[in-house]
Amino acid sequence: MAEKLKDGTKIRTLTVIDEYTRECLSLRTGYSLKADDVMSVLTDLFIRRGIPDHIRSDNGAEFTARAIKKWLPRLGVKTLYIEPGSPWENGYNESFNGRLRDECLNGESFYTLKEAQVILEQWRHHYNHIRPHSSLGYKPPAPLARLSTSGRKEGDSAYAPSPSFLPLMPSKNNLNSGLNNGG
């Protein structure tokens, strides 16, 4: 998705949606997005969530780069590229992008890239953990994705605390951790 900062600087956001749970798995925002950015996001997701059977995407240069076309098949991931000019072939993501624009981007003016990253990550958390989705019985997607079918009871729901964007206190073991949104 393309957007502009208040000063006119262009920024782009890579959106990754789980078609089954409807959960937004990632919103990577930067001045530009390249194949390395896509590989970084997908690597993180594959480590946390497992390797999917397939990935559906448009034909943007960041998805059709040689590195991506070689890497995904080696992992056993099929690529489903939509036909150029056929957004209906990627309905879940196009619908999500419309909601992102209507519910967040149209109401915000970003002054810096970091501000855009923070606000978009907060919105992603709200979308996944709080916002009801009619297609999911008016429940948010993230709790449904994490509750096992066998352990779920009628009326179960789960809400996660909002992510903190305050700097973390340094730990005694010298490991640095924090939000890594690229850019």
Side-chain angles (χ1 to χ4, degrees), residues 125 128-131 138-140 143 156-162:
H125 181 271
N128 285 337
H129 297 277
I130 298 165
R131 181 189 180 279
Y138 294 95
K139 294 181 181 175
D156 270 355
S157 65
Y159 294 97
S162 181

Side-chain angles (χ1 to χ4, degrees), residues 147-154 156:
L147 289 174
S148 69
T149 307
S150 61
R152 199 178 312 152
K153 298 181 207 92
E154 180 81 26
D156 270 355

